[in-house]
Amino acid sequence: MKNDVECAQSCKGFCNALEIATLREKETIIQYDSLRDECNYPDVKAILNELIIQRQKTIRLLEEAKVLIKSKFDVLDQIQNGFEG
């Protein structure tokens, strides 16, 4: 599978890679949820539930990473502004 996602070389203000990864995880959850709803076999339902939980954890990790990156850039901006002022 070719990766057609272009990563901005500067993540300042946004990060395409994290945004797209989050979107794909959400889409996967929707697919698993739909499959789980159609499935009659309890073991498969349980597996799909576990996969959904794992994807939700991944989304939380991605969102935490976005917050961390933003805070790092905020600190860098404050440092830079200190030198300009």
Side-chain angles (χ1 to χ4, degrees), residues 15-78:
C15 183
N16 270 347
L18 295 179
E19 291 295 331
I20 292 168
T22 302
L23 178 62
R24 288 185 180 167
E25 292 298 321
K26 289 178 180 180
E27 290 170 348
T28 301
I29 288 173
I30 291 169
Q31 291 173 350
Y32 289 163
D33 190 50
S34 176
L35 290 170
R36 182 191 58 201
D37 289 348
E38 294 174 15
C39 183
N40 294 332
Y41 196 68
D43 291 344
V44 173
K45 281 179 150 326
I47 291 169
L48 291 169
N49 275 332
E50 184 59 35
L51 290 172
I52 290 169
I53 290 167
Q54 290 176 10
R55 296 292 177 145
Q56 290 169 334
K57 289 178 183 177
T58 301
I59 290 170
R60 283 192 295 275
L61 178 66
L62 290 165
E63 289 173 350
E64 289 170 6
K66 287 189 280 186
V67 169
L68 179 62
I69 289 170
K70 182 185 181 318
S71 68
K72 286 182 179 183
F73 279 115
D74 288 347
V75 168
L76 292 173
D77 283 345
Q78 290 172 4

